[in-house]
Amino acid sequence: MLTKGMMDRHRPHSLKSSDRNRRPRDDSGRNQGEIKRFKANDHRQYQSGSTTWQSPANSQSLSTRRELYERDFPLYKQPVEVGCFSLDAQRRFFNDNRQMRYYVEPDRNPNFDLKDGYKDRFVKRDDSVKEKLDHILRWVVANRSKLDSTTASSRALDVDFVTWRGHLTKLLTTPYETRDGWLLAVTRFRGTLYISEVETEAACRERENRTERHEKMMYWGYKFEQYTCADDIQSSPDPSGAVNTNEAFCTVVQTRLADHKLLFSGEVDCRDKDPNAPAPPGCYVELKTSAEICTPKQRSNLHRFKLLKWWAQSFLPGVPRVIAGFRDHDGVVVSVETFHISKISHLIKNEYNCWKPTVCMNFCCDFLSFVKRVATEDNPSVVYLFSWEPCREVTFSIHRDSPYSFLPHWYIQEMTSSQELNHQS
């Protein structure tokens, strides 16, 4: 079943190149740590001792110009939840839904104090620790029977891509992003492409130099969840406890974008308490906080900027609604509003020069095609590093046996040994 209203035919992928920046792929076996550079980017800190190669004038790149993606909406199948997992207060993985929470609708004017507990009841996850795809990979290993390839080939999983929902969200918003670039590492292993984000130097500087105000506002979002979520279907929210951002409940969904079979996971804030609610992911709810809206200009800015990321984040896994708590400058929620994902395109249609869902999805689709064309060597020690900065094209570099490698040895061994057993049987 296709996502409602999104059944227009998919046109062929368009791969855009820049003659000035064209360079060949590196298909040869090179010495450890040696790379071929395709563009000067802000990730030099990983390249000490490696050889940097001059760019020849004939490589491939992918344009992010919006007008190139204003075509029919690509086919996007209704996402299906194939599993879930939980991360506890110590960030330990569990192949179950123990961290699932239930949404409890607040009053229209709730007056939630989002500052409460920041100083004395806040356990913050160490976001300098980069988990890469490890939690998703643990889920894959625990649920191989749901994903095994049915074809007699070297392909271990019946999917083209494995990644986090957040990485796909960044791709959807790229044609409209004007501030933050990204680095995405890609490895082809047993026929499947794995995509894992690499922190840019700019993002690292920003994380290390956050202001106290910024840290508090990040906490406010988690505190809003505590005010509106209960641990089980019979109970009420308990805002007196600690906010621990190590804890998470994640859905795992399968879908298809044009000819790309996707498996990705994303954190879910809560689900509808109604026992007659649709099956997951249709019962899930995304919670957000935002500054209160006092003028038409502020409403327009919400539509033009925040709703793009809210839509992309929820549309991908099939989460039907976002509930936003609007807060004053002091962090007190003064009103709550529901945004239905299926109606957001209607909300923004009268905004001048606003973002378009079709551009977002077509760019993501073409990027995945670009990755398939580029990342051809099936080798867990080879990373294709895709790089983008605002107003630039997407380019890539190839790294062998480098610090960019992200598939853990336990996963490679598990997938290799289990496949050999399958072939023997």
Side-chain angles (χ1 to χ4, degrees):
M1 180 180 176
L2 302 184
T3 305
K4 185 178 180 182
M6 303 309 184
M7 298 172 64
D8 296 331
R9 71 185 183 278
H10 173 69
R11 294 184 183 176
H13 306 306
S14 85
L15 182 64
K16 304 297 174 184
S17 298
S18 165
D19 290 338
R20 188 174 62 254
N21 292 322
R22 298 175 62 128
R23 311 155 205 223
R25 278 200 308 275
D26 181 1
D27 292 322
S28 62
R30 297 191 177 272
N31 296 330
Q32 182 171 349
E34 185 173 313
I35 64 168
K36 192 172 250 190
R37 287 295 300 277
F38 291 83
K39 178 184 173 187
N41 271 304
D42 290 335
H43 45 273
R44 291 183 296 275
Q45 70 267 33
Y46 295 109
Q47 295 173 6
S48 58
S50 62
T51 303
T52 300
W53 292 78
Q54 179 117 21
S55 317
N58 60 352
S59 99
Q60 296 168 320
S61 59
L62 181 69
S63 175
T64 60
R65 286 164 48 210
R66 300 168 196 171
E67 62 269 23
L68 298 173
Y69 302 100
E70 291 190 11
R71 54 181 193 263
D72 291 344
F73 201 98
L75 180 150
Y76 188 64
K77 290 197 72 173
Q78 183 71 40
V80 174
E81 183 177 78
V82 291
C84 63
F85 60 86
S86 297
L87 304 175
D88 72 0
Q90 286 77 45
R91 208 68 181 167
R92 291 176 301 192
F93 172 93
F94 293 90
N95 185 33
D96 57 36
N97 68 350
R98 67 184 63 191
Q99 293 290 345
M100 165 68 76
R101 296 178 300 176
Y102 296 83
Y103 177 67
V104 178
E105 189 169 356
D107 297 334
R108 286 180 63 85
N109 306 107
N111 286 317
F112 294 148
D113 182 4
L114 302 180
K115 302 184 300 297
D116 178 56
Y118 177 71
K119 293 291 188 185
D120 60 334
R121 303 193 312 278
F122 181 27
V123 181
K124 184 175 179 291
R125 182 172 82 84
D126 183 357
D127 55 9
S128 69
V129 176
K130 301 307 173 189
E131 298 171 326
K132 303 174 184 176
L133 297 185
D134 287 12
H135 296 310
I136 307 172
L137 301 181
R138 291 190 192 284
W139 183 89
V140 169
V141 167
N143 295 272
R144 280 293 304 279
S145 61
K146 299 179 180 181
L147 304 169
D148 282 342
S149 177
T150 55
T151 59
S153 70
S154 60
R155 182 154 143 158
L157 306 177
D158 192 26
V159 294
D160 297 320
F161 293 92
V162 173
T163 191
W164 282 109
R165 181 263 315 271
H167 303 352
L168 296 175
T169 300
K170 286 198 172 184
L171 291 172
L172 262 66
T173 60
T174 291
Y176 298 98
E177 179 60 54
T178 58
R179 194 177 77 96
D180 298 323
W182 46 252
L183 292 168
L184 293 174
V186 176
T187 287
R188 184 185 286 270
F189 174 57
R190 297 289 184 181
T192 293
L193 291 151
Y194 296 81
I195 304 177
S196 180
E197 186 175 17
V198 175
E199 187 176 51
T200 64
E201 282 190 353
C204 179
R205 285 193 301 270
E206 186 174 286
R207 174 175 55 78
E208 291 175 344
N209 295 287
R210 284 184 196 135
T211 63
E212 178 73 5
R213 171 76 177 176
H214 189 175
E215 292 281 2
K216 282 182 181 176
M217 290 173 69
M218 291 174 66
Y219 170 80
W220 290 355
Y222 292 105
K223 187 66 181 181
F224 180 62
E225 295 175 20
Q226 193 183 52
Y227 274 113
T228 53
C229 294
D231 288 339
D232 57 68
I233 203 163
Q234 286 86 23
S235 64
S236 300
D238 178 16
S240 67
V243 169
N244 187 329
T245 59
N246 288 293
E247 297 174 344
F249 169 77
C250 296
T251 182
V252 183
V253 300
Q254 261 190 288
T255 183
R256 183 160 62 89
L257 172 57
D259 58 351
H260 308 302
K261 288 185 175 181
L262 310 178
L263 177 79
F264 59 87
S265 178
E267 188 171 347
V268 172
D269 293 329
C270 55
R271 64 156 292 157
D272 196 320
K273 283 183 83 166
D274 185 350
N276 297 317
C283 62
Y284 291 148
V285 178
E286 182 69 30
L287 301 175
K288 298 291 185 185
T289 57
S290 190
E292 64 178 325
I293 293 170
C294 303
T295 68
K297 177 67 172 174
Q298 289 171 338
R299 172 67 64 174
S300 177
N301 284 341
L302 176 82
H303 288 175
R304 291 168 57 81
F305 304 112
K306 278 207 170 177
L307 283 194
L308 165 58
K309 293 186 178 179
W310 293 3
W311 170 83
Q313 184 182 28
S314 292
F315 178 78
L316 281 165
V319 174
R321 58 184 170 140
V322 173
I323 295 173
F326 288 95
R327 50 159 183 81
D328 63 19
H329 183 76
D330 294 324
V332 176
V333 175
V334 295
S335 65
V336 175
E337 187 174 345
T338 298
F339 295 88
H340 295 278
I341 297 304
S342 62
K343 297 178 181 177
I344 284 181
S345 59
H346 179 76
L347 266 183
I348 65 171
K349 71 176 184 179
N350 293 325
E351 297 288 348
Y352 174 72
N353 198 27
C354 200
W355 59 275
K356 297 177 181 178
T358 185
V359 170
C360 300
M361 292 298 283
N362 279 319
F363 173 75
C364 182
C365 188
D366 282 15
F367 174 81
L368 297 178
S369 296
F370 182 55
V371 168
K372 280 182 175 177
R373 178 170 170 176
V374 166
T376 55
E377 184 173 346
D378 199 301
N379 185 338
S381 66
V382 173
V383 168
Y384 298 82
L385 188 66
F386 291 83
S387 172
W388 177 77
E389 291 293 331
C391 303
R392 303 280 183 90
E393 296 185 335
V394 178
T395 57
F396 67 93
S397 51
I398 302 173
H399 304 255
R400 296 177 179 277
D401 301 302
S402 75
Y404 290 119
S405 297
F406 60 88
L407 289 182
H409 291 300
W410 58 260
Y411 181 74
I412 295 167
Q413 289 174 338
E414 174 68 29
M415 298 300 282
T416 304
S417 60
S418 61
Q419 186 141 26
E420 287 170 353
L421 286 172
N422 288 342
H423 285 169
Q424 289 170 6
S425 60

